[in-house]
Amino acid sequence: MENTRPGQPKTALLDLLNLPATINVPTAGRIGWGLSRARSYELAAQDAFPCPVVKLGERFFVRSSDLLRSLGIDVELALVTAQDRSVAAARDSE
């Protein structure tokens, strides 16, 4: 899935699938919805961020699986598809 907002970097589905288990709120806001750091924190503090947020002390985190679901990405299907593509690419390079 690519971010299609003008002026925003495009994020490929495989890049999203390679995210660590958790990411900070500004990163999730930027790559998921093109939000600024300030807006991401503002929404998280108001419990209005587009996906569940985990607060640890003064820091806010998002589970990558929650981010993907909030973007309408079927995590299990996307992982199977990515694995199939990797296997096909390895086979083609032989």
Side-chain angles (χ1 to χ4, degrees):
M1 175 176 192
E2 292 186 359
N3 182 342
T4 58
R5 291 181 185 92
Q8 294 296 321
K10 294 183 180 190
T11 304
L13 177 59
L14 291 176
D15 292 337
L16 291 171
L17 294 175
N18 286 320
L19 290 171
T22 60
I23 55 176
N24 62 40
V25 164
T27 301
R30 179 178 44 81
I31 66 175
W33 302 280
L35 300 173
S36 70
R37 178 183 182 86
R39 184 67 174 146
S40 294
Y41 277 124
E42 180 182 324
L43 291 172
Q46 297 171 355
D47 291 327
F49 200 73
C51 65
V53 172
V54 176
K55 185 174 181 189
L56 297 172
E58 295 299 314
R59 300 185 67 189
F60 294 94
F61 295 92
V62 169
R63 290 178 198 91
S64 295
S65 58
D66 289 336
L67 170 64
L68 294 172
R69 278 189 212 93
S70 71
L71 293 170
I73 298 170
D74 182 326
V75 178
E76 290 179 20
L77 178 60
L79 287 171
V80 168
T81 302
Q83 183 178 17
D84 289 347
R85 286 184 181 175
S86 294
V87 169
R91 187 176 45 236
D92 291 345
S93 68
E94 291 178 350

